[in-house]
Amino acid sequence: VHTGLVNEEMAAGLKYAGVDGVALDIIGAQETIKQVYHLDVTVEAFNESMALLTQYGLSIRPHIILGLHYGKFLGEYNALDMISKHNVHALIVVIFMPLRGTKMQDVSPPPVEDVKEFLIQSRIKMPSTKILLGCARPGGTYKSQVDKIAIESGINGIAYPAEGIIEHAQSMGLTPSFYENSCSCGIE
């Protein structure tokens, strides 16, 4: 289940329902919560949601959206710090994509170099955690560059890898596995 913020009643309900995994976006900047998500909550509410889900024994798969604040990094590293303090099944990294018909349709995604540095720092900060590159990321050359960087940064999985990435992984001595699942479910 990909939830928003959860309270104790919802966490208990998810456990009671037998949910095997909970994905939720973690936002680490108050400005992004207000200006992009238009929510009247604090950064701490995201941390509290992870704590409740953990308290109820649920497998959590938090997502960080790189460039969520109008294509710029603002709070991503804070979100990473919060997530690293919880026992998570996997960290899912996705990248802002400008969508036609939205207020951010003309906003560029974050620079590939910023994504690279974040992936490297994620691996350093969470060395034994599964880190996956989710399906939400810009396409084309950008996707090819990011996917190559992800493999080279030690990421454990990529949803819908760009053309040539499987061969690149194999050239590095890796043996790819394939799963027909959501990005937050595809790795055991």
Side-chain angles (χ1 to χ4, degrees):
V1 175
H2 198 137
T3 67
L5 295 170
V6 300
N7 58 26
E8 187 159 3
E9 181 181 4
M10 184 183 289
L14 291 166
K15 178 66 174 179
Y16 177 77
V19 170
D20 61 357
V22 179
L24 70 158
D25 298 345
I26 303 299
I27 304 172
Q30 196 62 46
E31 299 92 327
T32 306
I33 294 168
K34 295 266 188 217
Q35 296 171 20
V36 177
Y37 270 42
H38 307 289
L39 294 175
D40 188 24
V41 298
T42 64
V43 169
E44 184 56 27
F46 293 88
N47 198 40
E48 290 168 3
S49 286
M50 286 189 289
L52 279 169
L53 294 166
T54 301
Q55 176 185 326
Y56 279 89
L58 292 154
S59 173
I60 56 176
R61 297 111 193 265
H63 288 51
I64 297 178
I65 306 166
L66 304 184
L68 178 60
H69 197 90
Y70 301 94
K72 307 283 187 240
F73 273 48
L74 182 65
E76 284 83 345
Y77 286 97
N78 187 38
L80 179 63
D81 286 341
M82 286 191 305
I83 291 166
S84 72
K85 293 178 176 118
H86 295 276
N87 182 19
V88 301
H89 178 79
L91 167 63
I92 315 302
V93 177
V94 296
I95 303 170
F96 166 77
M97 298 180 351
L99 299 175
R100 191 174 317 152
T102 68
K103 290 181 181 181
M104 289 198 263
Q105 70 181 1
D106 296 321
V107 174
S108 296
V112 171
E113 283 303 312
D114 291 354
V115 173
K116 176 182 180 178
E117 184 60 25
F118 186 86
L119 294 175
I120 291 168
Q121 293 306 314
S122 296
R123 178 47 64 213
I124 291 168
K125 184 120 188 136
M126 301 176 75
S128 59
T129 300
K130 297 169 193 137
I131 302 176
L132 309 170
L133 188 58
C135 62
R137 62 189 187 280
T141 303
Y142 187 97
K143 179 178 179 176
S144 295
Q145 291 172 344
V146 166
D147 288 9
K148 184 176 182 204
I149 287 166
I151 295 286
E152 294 168 356
S153 299
I155 300 307
N156 301 93
I158 300 175
Y160 303 110
E163 190 171 325
I165 296 304
I166 302 300
E167 293 80 7
H168 180 65
Q170 290 169 327
S171 76
M172 293 177 59
L174 301 171
T175 305
S177 298
F178 299 90
Y179 299 91
E180 298 275 341
N181 296 327
S182 160
C183 62
S184 62
C185 300
I187 191 163
E188 294 307 320

